[in-house]
């Protein structure tokens, strides 16, 4: 029986090309890493404080030092300011992202969507910190500059994600409603929005998580929030203070992520 | 009354969807359009409310040429024509009632519809429409929690809520199992008889067409190759329309055969 069995091609005909591609990709990666390490200066220049010592000073000592314990309420106050900046920025971004998102959606504006997509790409090319520096120069130190920086960046990301949501909607429903004699605004309200609102809010919440982290560092350039005391403490090598601030940030960000992940699960 | 006067339709890619169609559909008739896929059934139905726009001829609806209408009149015309699709085309995340109410949008001002201010009569009527297709108890459920047959009934209720003069149905039962398909066809037949609403329906199942139609129109390659009373139609007629022998796939089966 075994000899009479049908002849199948048991060898994948693409096998050879596969291994060839694999080796070429490996070779390219090896070259890239070699180049990367050659051009990166990894020489050790030891400083007074060892890493272990610093970690002990940052995350252990503050608990036993009444001076730093006293600073905790003030730092929590800064954290609330940070949250407020993130919240205001996300809100502006989540709302202004909607028109830009629709503008960038191919199935809504056709070839004109290229225009919207270009705006979004241009915005996303900048990191928040750049916008923060620009706005601090333009409107002065403080949270206002921070809110503006966060808003602009949120528009960039949310607009992009919104436009992808809009592009994935069921256009048949839009056609159907048009055929009932509904006008354009009614079609938008009854046919498109119900399809996109849950995803829109989920993305806005996700963006809020990102904005909390982003606004924690905006203070580095004077745009308000907890970043200002953080940069001050680290410049003074006041590692205990740095530790207190970092712990507050870590706890807050973790709590917010947990809550927001939970809400987002329920939305979609 | 819907009148096709030498209507042709050529798609932008050059494909001819309809060729010189001459057809008169009087008010209250139950017309079934049959033909193989690609024969132009959908194109014929969708021309009536200009989901696709015929390129030649005149298409009279109540004596008025719909192809010459401006945007506003076309919108008013569409308000009078309900439409049902194979895939139901409901907003899945909205409630059943809201889906039905969307059939009233053409009669509601933009501001009121945005604020969700439908009149009490509209709400009452939407519920009556749901009641007629037997699913008024589902009114406040999300549309996607319903079965296929129930979703198709919601879309029938949506069409009904427009208080239409005609209902177009593009393969309304193609996604349903035979018993449900028969139930949905019976709903449509009852609406046709009680309200004198003209029905123009695409079907590909031969037995369904023969059972429910008053009149059958056969299409092949965009041309009308048959037009006659359903009572005169035999399987031979279908073989002529299809240009091939009848196969088992062309039949859906009896309502009871589960």
């Amino acid at each position: 029986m075994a000899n009479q069995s049908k002849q199948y091609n048991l060898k994948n005909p693409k096998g050879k090309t596969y291994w060839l591609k694999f080796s070429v990709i490996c070779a390219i990666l090896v070259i890239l890493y070699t180049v990367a390490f050659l051009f990166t200066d990894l020489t050790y220049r030891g400083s007074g404080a060892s890493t272990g010592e610093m970690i002990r000073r940052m995350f252990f000592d503050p608990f036993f030092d009444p001076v730093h314990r006293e600073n905790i309420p003030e730092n929590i106050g800064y954290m609330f300011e940070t949250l407020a900046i993130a919240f205001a920025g996300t809100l502006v971004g989540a709302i202004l992202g909607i028109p830009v998102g629709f503008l960038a959606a191919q199935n809504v504006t056709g070839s004109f969507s290229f225009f919207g997509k270009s705006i979004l790409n241009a915005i996303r090319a900048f990191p928040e910190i750049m916008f923060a520096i620009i706005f601090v120069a333009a409107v002065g130190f403080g949270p206002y500059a921070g809110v503006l920086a966060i808003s602009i960046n949120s528009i960039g990301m949310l607009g992009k994600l919104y436009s992808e949501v809009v592009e994935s909607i069921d256009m048949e429903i839009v056609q159907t409603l048009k055929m009932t004699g509904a006008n354009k605004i009614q079609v938008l309200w009854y046919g498109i929005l119900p399809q996109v609102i849950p995803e829109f809010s989920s993305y806005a919440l996700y963006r809020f998580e990102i904005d909390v982290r982003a606004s924690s560092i905006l203070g580095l350039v004077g745009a308000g929030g907890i970043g200002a005391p953080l940069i001050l403490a680290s410049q003074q090598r006041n590692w205990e203070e740095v530790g207190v601030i970092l712990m507050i940030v870590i706890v807050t960000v973790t709590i917010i992520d947990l809550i927001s992940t939970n809400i987002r699960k329920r939305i979609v | 009354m819907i009148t096709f006067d030498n209507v042709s339709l050529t798609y932008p890619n050059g494909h001819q969807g309809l060729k010189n169609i001459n057809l008169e559909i009087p008010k209250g008739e139950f017309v079934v359009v049959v033909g193989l896929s690609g024969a132009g059934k959908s194109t014929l139905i969708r021309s009536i409310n200009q989901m696709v726009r015929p390129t030649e001829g005149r298409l009279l609806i109540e004596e008025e040429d719909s192809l010459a209408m401006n945007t506003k009149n076309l919108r008013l015309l569409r308000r009078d024509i309900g439409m049902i699709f194979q895939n139901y085309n409901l907003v899945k995340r909205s409630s059943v009632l809201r889906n039905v109410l969307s059939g009233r949008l053409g009669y509601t001002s933009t501001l009121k519809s945005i604020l969700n201010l439908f009149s009490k009569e509209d709400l009452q009527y939407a519920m009556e429409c749901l009641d007629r297709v037997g699913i008024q108890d589902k009114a406040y459920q999300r549309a996607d929690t319903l079965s296929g047959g129930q979703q198709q009934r919601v879309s029938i209720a949506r069409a009904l809520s427009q208080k239409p003069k005609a209902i177009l149905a593009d393969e309304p039962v193609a996604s349903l199992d035979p018993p449900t398909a028969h139930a949905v066809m019976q709903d449509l037949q009852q609406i046709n008889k009680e309200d004198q609403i003209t029905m123009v329906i695409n079907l590909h199942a031969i037995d369904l067409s023969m059972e429910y139609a008053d009149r059958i129109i056969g299409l092949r390659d965009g041309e009308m190759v048959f037009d006659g009373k359903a009572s005169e139609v035999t399987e031979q007629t279908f073989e002529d329309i299809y240009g091939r022998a009848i196969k088992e796939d062309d039949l859906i089966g009896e309502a009871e055969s589960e």
Side-chain angles (χ1 to χ4, degrees):
Chain A
M1 281 301 275
N3 294 338
Q4 288 170 354
S5 66
K6 233 176 120 184
Q7 284 290 307
Y8 295 106
N9 187 0
L10 297 177
K11 252 190 163 173
N12 185 345
K14 286 182 194 151
K16 266 189 188 154
T17 6
Y18 173 78
W19 285 110
L20 187 69
K21 276 185 195 160
F22 186 77
S23 338
V24 171
I25 290 170
C26 280
I28 292 175
L29 284 178
V30 168
I31 294 169
L32 283 178
Y33 274 110
T34 317
V35 173
F37 281 114
L38 279 179
F39 284 90
T40 314
D41 182 6
L42 294 172
T43 11
Y44 174 71
R45 298 186 188 82
S47 74
S50 75
T51 316
E53 163 90 3
M54 266 174 58
I55 289 177
R56 191 181 56 86
R57 283 182 63 190
M58 276 164 63
F59 297 116
F60 189 69
D61 287 357
F63 292 107
F64 304 100
D65 188 336
V67 179
H68 295 293
R69 279 211 305 261
E70 267 168 34
N71 283 345
I72 290 178
E74 194 194 332
N75 283 322
I76 289 181
Y78 278 119
M79 192 67 226
F80 273 113
E81 188 180 83
T82 307
L83 287 182
I85 293 172
F87 194 79
T90 311
L91 185 69
V92 175
I95 293 171
L96 292 186
I98 294 176
V100 191
F102 273 97
L103 182 68
Q106 223 255 316
N107 54 346
V108 177
T109 49
S111 50
F112 199 62
S113 69
F114 170 77
F115 184 63
K117 285 200 165 79
S118 311
I119 298 179
L120 293 173
N121 286 333
I123 294 177
R124 281 179 313 125
F126 285 89
E128 275 102 355
I129 202 88
M130 272 309 301
F131 282 115
I133 292 171
I134 294 169
F135 283 121
V136 165
V139 302
F141 287 99
Y144 184 43
V147 171
L148 288 178
I150 295 281
S151 312
I152 301 278
N153 232 277
S154 303
I155 293 176
M157 181 181 125
L158 287 176
K160 166 90 177 157
L161 292 171
Y162 287 177
S163 73
E164 278 169 11
V165 173
V166 173
E167 279 173 359
S168 72
I169 62 166
D170 186 349
M171 288 302 278
E172 296 263 310
I173 290 169
V174 174
Q175 277 293 317
T176 307
L177 287 187
K178 225 165 114 185
M179 289 307 132
T180 66
N183 65 31
K184 283 202 171 111
I185 297 171
Q186 290 171 328
V187 170
L188 176 76
W189 209 258
Y190 281 77
I192 299 180
L193 286 188
Q195 293 192 63
V196 298
I197 287 290
E199 267 90 2
F200 277 18
S201 12
S202 167
Y203 279 135
L205 261 175
Y206 178 53
R207 180 66 208 187
F208 179 59
E209 290 174 33
I210 297 175
D211 283 345
V212 171
R213 272 168 271 164
S215 55
S216 306
I217 58 157
L218 286 183
L220 300 184
V221 296
I226 203 162
L230 181 64
I231 188 85
L232 202 68
S234 56
Q235 275 166 354
Q236 294 167 344
R237 303 291 184 264
N238 186 351
W239 300 121
E240 289 82 3
E241 187 72 11
V242 171
V244 168
I245 295 171
L246 283 182
M247 279 187 278
I248 291 174
V249 173
I250 292 168
V251 169
T252 317
V253 168
T254 312
I255 292 174
I256 297 222
D257 280 12
L258 281 177
I259 297 173
S260 125
T261 313
N262 236 305
I263 299 177
R264 282 193 292 127
K265 261 191 212 152
R266 279 157 213 244
I267 293 179
V268 179
Chain B
M1 173 101 107
I2 302 166
T3 314
F4 283 72
D5 181 9
N6 221 9
V7 170
S8 296
L9 189 151
T10 312
Y11 283 105
N13 64 11
H15 175 73
Q16 237 195 328
L18 296 176
K19 294 174 192 162
N20 307 318
I21 303 287
N22 284 297
L23 176 65
E24 219 167 73
I25 303 172
K27 185 169 171 54
E29 202 168 39
F30 197 110
V31 181
V32 169
V33 184
V34 297
L36 293 172
S37 51
K41 303 191 296 273
S42 288
T43 311
L44 181 77
I45 281 203
R46 287 168 186 227
S47 318
I48 297 174
N49 60 358
Q50 274 185 54
M51 230 176 139
V52 293
R53 194 178 160 82
T55 43
E56 278 166 62
R58 295 194 312 152
L59 210 168
L60 305 176
I61 292 166
E62 310 286 349
E63 310 290 310
E64 207 184 333
D65 187 3
S66 65
L67 298 180
M69 280 181 184
N70 61 21
T71 325
K72 180 159 187 289
N73 285 336
L74 186 61
R75 206 167 71 75
L76 295 180
L77 170 78
R78 283 172 174 164
R79 208 166 70 164
D80 285 339
I81 303 175
M83 188 144 187
I84 296 163
F85 298 85
Q86 177 178 355
N87 302 320
Y88 329 129
N89 292 359
L90 302 176
V91 181
K92 296 191 177 66
R93 277 166 169 159
S94 295
S95 74
V96 166
L97 184 62
R98 198 173 159 87
N99 269 292
V100 177
L101 279 171
S102 66
R104 298 299 303 160
L105 287 175
Y107 299 89
T108 314
S109 77
T110 307
L111 190 66
K112 277 190 175 166
S113 51
I114 284 178
L115 299 173
N116 217 2
L117 293 172
F118 289 98
S119 67
K120 215 174 160 208
E121 293 79 57
D122 279 354
L123 277 168
Q124 174 74 24
Y125 190 66
M127 284 307 258
E128 279 171 25
C129 293
L130 277 174
D131 199 7
R132 286 191 70 181
V133 290
I135 47 170
Q136 75 282 14
D137 54 323
K138 311 275 185 202
Y140 296 101
Q141 284 188 26
R142 261 173 64 145
D144 57 3
T145 61
L146 270 55
S147 69
Q150 290 169 334
Q151 290 194 36
Q152 192 58 293
R153 288 192 179 91
V154 176
S155 88
I156 294 175
R158 175 175 62 194
L160 260 184
S161 78
Q162 288 173 242
K163 300 189 180 161
K165 297 195 174 101
I167 289 181
L168 313 173
D170 197 356
E171 294 280 6
V173 297
S175 312
L176 303 173
D177 57 72
T180 318
H182 277 281
V184 166
M185 287 307 294
Q186 279 157 14
D187 279 344
L188 291 173
Q189 194 177 40
Q190 199 186 1
I191 290 164
N192 167 256
K193 294 279 170 292
E194 287 174 6
D195 299 18
Q196 289 299 303
I197 294 175
T198 314
M199 294 274 171
V200 188
I201 302 183
N202 273 350
L203 291 175
H204 67 258
I206 289 173
D207 42 356
L208 275 184
S209 315
M210 285 162 62
E211 189 170 344
Y212 295 99
D214 294 336
R215 175 178 172 191
I216 288 182
I217 287 166
L219 290 179
R220 187 169 59 210
D221 295 330
E223 276 177 283
M224 210 166 82
V225 293
F226 179 82
D227 179 6
K229 282 195 180 134
S231 50
E232 298 163 358
V233 167
T234 61
E235 292 206 347
Q236 180 59 41
T237 321
F238 279 94
E239 296 195 340
D240 291 343
I241 295 171
Y242 287 9
R244 63 158 170 77
I246 299 297
K247 293 189 288 191
E248 196 153 333
D249 286 353
D250 299 329
L251 304 168
I252 188 170
E254 290 300 310
E256 283 76 28
S257 67
E258 276 180 73

